[in-house]
Amino acid sequence: MRVAGPEQTQDGSEPGSVHVILGSRKTRVVLTGEVDAELGHELLEASADAEASGLPVEVDVRNVTFMDSTGVAFLARLASRSPSKLVLIRPPDLVRFLIQVTSISQVLRVVEDDPGIDHTLPDGSDDGSDDGSDGPGGGLVA
């Protein structure tokens, strides 16, 4: 698991973090708090981990409280290197605005329901197996 940022920012806002979860059928990146230049190095590592998996990528952004161009660049990089269309899970209004104004909304798909890490593929297809496990290779990237 990767966690970045101080325990508390000076203005009391939530620090940013990035986590990469490797499932057996897709990779999930979870962003929380402030996604800005402070997370730059961790975002590059997360992007490399997601790309190296060779699996479809989804990004859970539901708990992002702030995002600057660093976060937008991260999403654009993932979208350009993912083997299928990047999936963005439950973006808050500020993230929706940023992806629309930068036009990267054209290279990703926004979903409101969390598809789960391995229950369905990003295209919405389901293999019928719903045993609740991540299967082989599932888990957090250290």
Side-chain angles (χ1 to χ4, degrees):
M1 176 184 330
R2 297 189 196 294
V3 179
E7 287 194 19
Q8 186 174 25
T9 59
Q10 289 182 354
D11 65 0
S13 58
E14 184 180 347
S17 69
V18 57
H19 306 270
V20 177
I21 303 169
L22 297 176
S24 61
R25 299 175 56 180
K26 58 186 169 181
T27 298
R28 177 175 288 193
V29 178
V30 180
L31 301 176
T32 61
E34 296 187 1
V35 180
D36 57 18
E38 292 289 321
L39 284 181
H41 179 72
E42 290 80 5
L43 291 171
L44 282 175
E45 287 182 8
S47 177
D49 291 342
E51 184 180 346
S53 77
L55 299 170
V57 179
E58 61 188 21
V59 183
D60 184 342
V61 293
R62 73 184 90 188
N63 294 311
V64 170
T65 58
F66 174 82
M67 181 180 282
D68 68 6
S69 61
T70 307
V72 174
F74 170 72
L75 294 175
R77 178 183 174 113
L78 282 179
S80 69
R81 296 177 181 212
S82 179
S84 61
K85 200 164 200 175
L86 182 70
V87 174
L88 208 58
I89 301 170
R90 296 179 58 189
D93 289 343
L94 76 108
V95 175
R96 285 179 193 277
F97 172 77
L98 289 172
I99 65 171
Q100 289 172 351
V101 77
T102 59
S103 298
I104 65 167
S105 59
Q106 298 172 4
V107 295
L108 53 82
R109 186 167 66 95
V110 172
V111 298
E112 295 305 321
D113 295 322
D114 184 346
I117 189 64
D118 272 334
H119 298 298
T120 60
L121 291 173
D123 65 2
S125 63
D126 190 346
D127 70 356
S129 64
D130 190 11
D131 63 4
S133 69
D134 280 339
L140 294 173
V141 171

